[in-house]
């Protein structure tokens, strides 16, 4: 059964094109590596199209970009994960120098475990959104 989780909308004080350009090339994760909580994220490995991290207690999670819709959407799919899922980063312009961002996860979660994973998944999504909203996109 498919479940959908959405982050709150975050304001980003950079132009939509700048944010898209940085987020659509995962090599740019190097710039935010120090912002990631060491106790929550381990073994971060990435290239332009994919990212893999070890997330206690979940284990290894890998995402690959499967679609880029410049400058408004980047779609990911899990490659290695306990749950099959898609993640979208949606960007909308607000002004010439700012944009809004929302993250959405659609995951195939068994109804029996949904109660256990819904809260951590939602919290994780919000944490990712928060981290992405405070990056310097320059």
């Amino acid at each position: 059964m498919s479940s959908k989780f959405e982050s709150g909308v975050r304001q980003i004080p950079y132009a939509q094109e700048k944010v898209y350009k940085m987020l659509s090339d995962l090599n740019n994760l190097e710039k935010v590596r120090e912002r990631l909580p060491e106790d929550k994220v381990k073994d971060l490995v990435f290239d332009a199209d994919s990212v893999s991290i070890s997330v206690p207690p979940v284990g290894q999670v890998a995402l690959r970009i499967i679609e880029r819709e410049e400058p408004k959407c980047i779609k990911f799919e899990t490659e290695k994960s306990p749950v099959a899922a898609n993640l979208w980063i949606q960007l909308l312009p607000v002004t010439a120098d700012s944009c809004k961002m929302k993250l959405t996860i659609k995951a195939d979660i068994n109804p029996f475990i949904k109660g256990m994973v819904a809260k951590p998944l939602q919290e994780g999504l919000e944490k990712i959104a928060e981290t992405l909203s405070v990056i310097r996109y320059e």
Side-chain angles (χ1 to χ4, degrees), residues 11 41 112 129 131:
Q11 297 288 330
V41 177
F112 296 110
T131 301

Side-chain angles (χ1 to χ4, degrees), residues 10-11 24 28 30 40 59 65 74 79 82 86 100 103 129 137:
R10 299 292 198 284
Q11 297 288 330
S24 64
N28 290 317
E30 192 58 52
K40 304 255 192 283
I65 294 177
I74 306 159
E79 285 191 318
N86 288 91
K100 295 189 291 192
L103 305 184
Y137 292 93

Side-chain angles (χ1 to χ4, degrees), residues 3 5 109-122:
S3 299
F5 300 88
I109 300 174
N110 175 321
F112 296 110
I113 65 161
K114 184 177 179 179
M116 291 184 289
V117 299
K119 188 172 186 255
L121 199 56
Q122 186 66 47

Side-chain angles (χ1 to χ4, degrees), residues 8-44:
V9 174
R10 299 292 198 284
Q11 297 288 330
I12 301 178
Y14 292 94
Q16 177 188 22
E17 291 76 16
K18 277 187 179 178
V19 176
Y20 176 86
K21 187 175 181 200
M22 188 163 154
L23 295 180
S24 64
D25 179 353
L26 297 178
N27 283 317
N28 290 317
L29 284 172
E30 192 58 52
K31 297 174 185 171
V32 298
R33 187 187 286 265
E34 74 282 351
R35 288 186 173 270
L36 301 172
E38 280 297 316
D39 60 325
K40 304 255 192 283
V41 177
K42 296 183 180 355
D43 308 319
L44 177 65

Side-chain angles (χ1 to χ4, degrees), residues 9-136:
V9 174
R10 299 292 198 284
Q11 297 288 330
I12 301 178
Y14 292 94
Q16 177 188 22
E17 291 76 16
K18 277 187 179 178
V19 176
Y20 176 86
K21 187 175 181 200
M22 188 163 154
L23 295 180
S24 64
D25 179 353
L26 297 178
N27 283 317
N28 290 317
L29 284 172
E30 192 58 52
K31 297 174 185 171
V32 298
R33 187 187 286 265
E34 74 282 351
R35 288 186 173 270
L36 301 172
E38 280 297 316
D39 60 325
K40 304 255 192 283
V41 177
K42 296 183 180 355
D43 308 319
L44 177 65
V45 180
F46 51 86
D47 60 29
D49 298 315
S50 64
V51 59
S52 173
I53 54 174
S54 183
V55 183
V58 177
Q60 200 68 21
V61 177
L63 293 168
R64 174 168 295 282
I65 294 177
I66 57 168
E67 193 177 312
R68 290 176 173 92
E69 190 180 337
E70 191 171 356
K72 56 187 178 184
C73 186
I74 306 159
K75 186 176 180 182
F76 297 80
E77 183 175 86
T78 52
E79 285 191 318
K80 189 184 213 183
S81 164
V83 175
N86 288 91
L87 166 72
W88 290 266
I89 299 175
Q90 295 165 287
L91 301 166
L92 288 170
V94 175
T95 67
D97 299 319
S98 68
C99 65
K100 295 189 291 192
M101 176 192 67
K102 181 171 89 172
L103 305 184
T104 304
I105 289 179
K106 190 172 169 192
D108 292 328
I109 300 174
N110 175 321
F112 296 110
I113 65 161
K114 184 177 179 179
M116 291 184 289
V117 299
K119 188 172 186 255
L121 199 56
Q122 186 66 47
E123 288 172 355
L125 193 61
E126 293 296 347
K127 192 73 164 156
I128 294 167
E130 184 59 34
T131 301
L132 295 179
S133 72
V134 296
I135 292 172
R136 297 176 63 85

